[in-house]
Coordinates of all heavy atoms in Angstrom, one line a residue:
N129 N -265.2 -178.1 -62.8 CA -265.2 -179.6 -62.4 C -266.5 -179.9 -61.8 O -266.7 -179.8 -60.6 CB -264.0 -179.8 -61.4 CG -263.8 -181.3 -61.2 OD1 -263.0 -181.9 -61.9 ND2 -264.5 -181.9 -60.3
R130 N -267.5 -180.2 -62.6 CA -268.9 -180.3 -62.2 C -269.2 -181.7 -61.8 O -269.4 -182.6 -62.6 CB -269.8 -179.8 -63.3 CG -269.5 -178.4 -63.8 CD -270.2 -177.9 -65.0 NE -269.7 -176.6 -65.4 CZ -270.2 -176.0 -66.5 NH1 -271.1 -176.5 -67.3 NH2 -269.7 -174.8 -66.8
T131 N -269.3 -181.9 -60.5 CA -269.3 -183.3 -60.0 C -270.2 -183.3 -58.7 O -270.3 -182.4 -58.0 CB -267.9 -183.8 -59.6 OG1 -268.0 -185.1 -59.0 CG2 -267.2 -182.8 -58.6
R132 N -270.8 -184.5 -58.5 CA -271.6 -184.7 -57.3 C -270.7 -184.8 -56.1 O -271.1 -184.5 -55.0 CB -272.5 -185.9 -57.4 CG -273.4 -186.1 -56.2 CD -274.3 -187.3 -56.4 NE -275.1 -187.5 -55.3 CZ -276.0 -188.5 -55.1 NH1 -276.1 -189.4 -56.1 NH2 -276.8 -188.6 -54.1
D133 N -269.4 -185.2 -56.3 CA -268.5 -185.3 -55.2 C -268.0 -184.0 -54.8 O -268.7 -183.3 -54.1 CB -267.4 -186.3 -55.6 CG -266.7 -186.9 -54.4 OD1 -266.2 -186.1 -53.6 OD2 -266.6 -188.1 -54.3
A134 N -266.8 -183.6 -55.1 CA -266.3 -182.3 -54.7 C -265.2 -181.9 -55.7 O -264.4 -182.7 -56.2 CB -265.8 -182.3 -53.3
A135 N -265.1 -180.6 -55.9 CA -264.0 -180.0 -56.7 C -262.6 -180.3 -56.0 O -261.6 -180.6 -56.6 CB -264.2 -178.6 -57.0
I136 N -262.6 -180.0 -54.6 CA -261.5 -180.3 -53.8 C -261.9 -181.3 -52.7 O -262.8 -180.9 -51.9 CB -260.8 -179.1 -53.2 CG1 -260.4 -178.1 -54.3 CG2 -259.6 -179.4 -52.3 CD1 -259.8 -176.8 -53.8
S137 N -261.4 -182.4 -52.6 CA -261.8 -183.4 -51.6 C -260.6 -184.0 -50.8 O -259.6 -184.4 -51.4 CB -262.5 -184.6 -52.3 OG -263.0 -185.6 -51.4
L138 N -260.8 -183.9 -49.5 CA -259.8 -184.5 -48.6 C -260.4 -185.6 -47.8 O -261.6 -185.5 -47.3 CB -259.3 -183.4 -47.5 CG -258.2 -182.5 -47.9 CD1 -258.4 -181.8 -49.2 CD2 -257.9 -181.5 -46.8
R139 N -259.7 -186.7 -47.7 CA -260.2 -187.9 -46.9 C -259.1 -188.4 -46.1 O -257.9 -188.6 -46.5 CB -260.6 -189.0 -47.9 CG -261.7 -188.7 -48.9 CD -262.0 -189.8 -49.8 NE -262.8 -189.4 -50.9 CZ -263.1 -190.2 -52.0 NH1 -262.6 -191.4 -52.0 NH2 -263.9 -189.8 -53.0
E140 N -259.3 -188.5 -44.8 CA -258.4 -189.1 -43.8 C -257.1 -188.4 -43.8 O -256.0 -189.0 -43.9 CB -258.2 -190.6 -44.1 CG -259.5 -191.4 -44.0 CD -259.3 -192.9 -44.3 OE1 -258.1 -193.3 -44.5 OE2 -260.3 -193.6 -44.4
C141 N -257.2 -187.1 -43.8 CA -256.0 -186.2 -43.8 C -255.8 -185.6 -42.5 O -256.7 -185.4 -41.7 CB -256.0 -185.2 -44.9 SG -256.0 -185.8 -46.6
A142 N -254.6 -185.1 -42.2 CA -254.3 -184.4 -40.9 C -253.5 -183.1 -41.2 O -252.5 -183.1 -42.1 CB -253.5 -185.3 -40.0
D143 N -253.9 -182.0 -40.6 CA -253.2 -180.8 -40.7 C -253.0 -180.2 -42.1 O -251.9 -179.8 -42.5 CB -251.8 -180.9 -40.0 CG -251.9 -181.3 -38.6 OD1 -252.8 -180.8 -37.9 OD2 -251.1 -182.2 -38.1
A144 N -254.1 -180.3 -42.9 CA -254.1 -179.8 -44.2 C -254.5 -178.4 -44.3 O -255.3 -177.9 -43.4 CB -255.0 -180.7 -45.1
R145 N -254.1 -177.7 -45.3 CA -254.5 -176.3 -45.5 C -255.0 -176.1 -46.9 O -254.3 -176.4 -47.9 CB -253.3 -175.3 -45.3 CG -252.7 -175.3 -43.9 CD -251.5 -174.3 -43.8 NE -251.9 -173.0 -44.0 CZ -252.4 -172.1 -43.1 NH1 -252.4 -172.5 -41.8 NH2 -252.7 -170.9 -43.4
I146 N -256.2 -175.6 -47.0 CA -256.7 -175.2 -48.3 C -256.9 -173.7 -48.2 O -257.8 -173.2 -47.5 CB -258.1 -175.9 -48.6 CG1 -257.9 -177.4 -48.5 CG2 -258.6 -175.5 -50.0 CD1 -259.2 -178.1 -48.6
K147 N -256.1 -172.9 -49.0 CA -256.0 -171.5 -48.7 C -256.0 -170.7 -50.0 O -255.3 -171.1 -51.0 CB -254.7 -171.2 -47.9 CG -254.5 -169.8 -47.5 CD -253.3 -169.6 -46.7 CE -253.1 -168.1 -46.3 NZ -251.8 -167.9 -45.5
D148 N -256.8 -169.6 -50.1 CA -256.8 -168.7 -51.2 C -257.1 -169.3 -52.5 O -256.5 -168.9 -53.5 CB -255.4 -167.9 -51.2 CG -255.2 -167.1 -49.9 OD1 -256.1 -166.7 -49.3 OD2 -254.0 -167.0 -49.6
C149 N -257.9 -170.3 -52.5 CA -258.3 -171.0 -53.8 C -259.6 -170.5 -54.3 O -260.4 -169.9 -53.6 CB -258.4 -172.5 -53.6 SG -256.8 -173.3 -53.1
L150 N -259.8 -170.7 -55.6 CA -261.1 -170.4 -56.3 C -261.7 -171.7 -56.8 O -261.0 -172.4 -57.6 CB -260.9 -169.4 -57.4 CG -262.1 -169.2 -58.4 CD1 -263.2 -168.6 -57.6 CD2 -261.7 -168.4 -59.6
V151 N -262.9 -172.0 -56.4 CA -263.7 -173.1 -57.0 C -264.9 -172.5 -57.6 O -265.7 -171.8 -57.0 CB -264.1 -174.1 -55.9 CG1 -265.0 -175.2 -56.5 CG2 -262.9 -174.7 -55.2
R152 N -265.0 -172.7 -59.0 CA -266.1 -172.0 -59.7 C -266.8 -173.0 -60.6 O -266.1 -173.8 -61.3 CB -265.5 -170.9 -60.6 CG -266.6 -170.1 -61.2 CD -266.1 -168.8 -61.9 NE -265.2 -169.1 -63.0 CZ -264.2 -168.3 -63.3 NH1 -264.0 -167.2 -62.6 NH2 -263.5 -168.6 -64.4
N153 N -268.1 -173.0 -60.5 CA -269.0 -173.9 -61.3 C -268.6 -175.4 -61.1 O -268.0 -176.1 -61.9 CB -268.8 -173.6 -62.8 CG -269.4 -172.2 -63.1 OD1 -270.2 -171.6 -62.3 ND2 -269.0 -171.6 -64.2
Y154 N -269.1 -175.9 -59.9 CA -268.8 -177.2 -59.4 C -270.1 -178.1 -59.4 O -270.0 -179.3 -59.0 CB -268.2 -177.2 -58.0 CG -269.1 -176.4 -57.0 CD1 -270.0 -177.0 -56.2 CD2 -268.9 -175.0 -56.9 CE1 -270.8 -176.3 -55.3 CE2 -269.7 -174.3 -56.0 CZ -270.6 -174.9 -55.2 OH -271.4 -174.2 -54.4
M155 N -271.2 -177.6 -59.8 CA -272.5 -178.3 -59.6 C -272.9 -178.9 -61.0 O -272.6 -178.5 -62.0 CB -273.6 -177.4 -59.1 CG -273.2 -176.8 -57.8 SD -274.6 -176.0 -56.9 CE -275.1 -177.5 -56.0
K156 N -273.8 -180.0 -60.9 CA -274.2 -180.7 -62.1 C -275.7 -181.1 -61.9 O -276.2 -181.2 -60.7 CB -273.4 -181.9 -62.4 CG -273.4 -183.0 -61.3 CD -272.5 -184.1 -61.7 CE -273.0 -184.9 -62.9 NZ -272.3 -186.2 -63.0
I157 N -276.4 -181.5 -62.9 CA -277.7 -182.1 -62.9 C -277.4 -183.6 -62.6 O -276.6 -184.3 -63.2 CB -278.4 -181.9 -64.2 CG1 -278.7 -180.5 -64.4 CG2 -279.8 -182.7 -64.1 CD1 -279.5 -179.7 -63.4
D158 N -278.1 -184.1 -61.6 CA -277.9 -185.5 -61.2 C -279.1 -186.2 -60.6 O -280.2 -185.5 -60.6 CB -276.8 -185.5 -60.1 CG -275.9 -186.8 -60.1 OD1 -276.4 -187.8 -60.6 OD2 -274.8 -186.8 -59.6
I159 N -279.0 -187.4 -60.2 CA -280.1 -188.1 -59.5 C -279.6 -188.4 -58.1 O -278.6 -189.1 -57.9 CB -280.5 -189.4 -60.3 CG1 -281.2 -189.0 -61.6 CG2 -281.4 -190.2 -59.4 CD1 -281.5 -190.2 -62.5
D160 N -280.4 -188.0 -57.1 CA -280.1 -188.3 -55.7 C -280.8 -189.6 -55.4 O -282.1 -189.6 -55.2 CB -280.5 -187.2 -54.8 CG -280.0 -187.4 -53.4 OD1 -279.8 -188.5 -52.9 OD2 -279.8 -186.4 -52.7

Side-chain angles (χ1 to χ4, degrees):
N129 192 91
R130 302 174 187 176
T131 177
R132 186 177 179 181
D133 201 302
I136 301 175
S137 181
L138 272 57
R139 305 177 190 170
E140 300 179 6
C141 293
D143 302 319
R145 296 178 64 90
I146 304 171
K147 185 177 179 182
D148 299 330
C149 295
L150 169 64
V151 175
R152 186 170 66 210
N153 294 342
Y154 54 92
M155 307 194 84
K156 65 181 293 190
I157 300 298
D158 209 338
I159 292 175
D160 191 330

